[in-house]
Amino acid sequence: EIADCTPLTDMSAVPAALRKIKHPYLRDSYAEFFGGILRPFPLRYRRPMAAPGQPHAEGSDETIGECVDESVAELWKADPTYRPANLTDYYSRMGLPPPA
């Protein structure tokens, strides 16, 4: 089954407190882990988006139905400091221009 990437249009399902948020708060849980002791080390894993298939003995594992939510594109446009490496790589591999 392919994932439905239709944006949420019925805002009545979203709690009122969340509807008031104009700019999402991005939490850096990695920096908070163990009181931030790991922050200086480049150990973060950024999952590849729409990764190419991974071959194995029985065939290949493929990523299907993955898409970028409209809110991610809006954040990209609104905040020039928001440029996750895996999202930048996704746009490049897919031959897509970043949101403008």
Side-chain angles (χ1 to χ4, degrees):
E1 180 178 329
I2 296 177
D4 179 10
C5 294
T6 306
L8 178 66
T9 55
D10 179 10
M11 295 304 286
S12 65
V14 178
L18 293 179
R19 280 184 260 152
K20 294 178 185 177
I21 298 173
K22 300 291 184 208
H23 190 74
Y25 168 68
L26 299 175
R27 184 174 172 191
D28 187 352
S29 59
Y30 181 87
E32 297 169 0
F33 189 65
F34 278 124
I37 195 167
L38 297 176
R39 186 180 297 158
F41 301 100
L43 304 173
R44 294 173 191 243
Y45 175 74
R46 290 181 170 84
R47 183 185 62 79
M49 298 172 61
Q54 297 295 314
H56 52 80
E58 289 81 32
S60 177
D61 291 330
E62 301 288 332
T63 301
I64 61 170
E66 188 167 22
C67 60
V68 176
D69 188 79
E70 184 179 327
S71 64
V72 174
E74 289 173 8
L75 180 57
W76 181 287
K77 289 187 273 188
D79 183 354
T81 65
Y82 179 72
R83 299 295 184 265
N86 55 347
L87 184 57
T88 302
D89 177 64
Y90 169 81
Y91 287 131
S92 177
R93 282 187 297 104
M94 294 298 166
L96 300 171

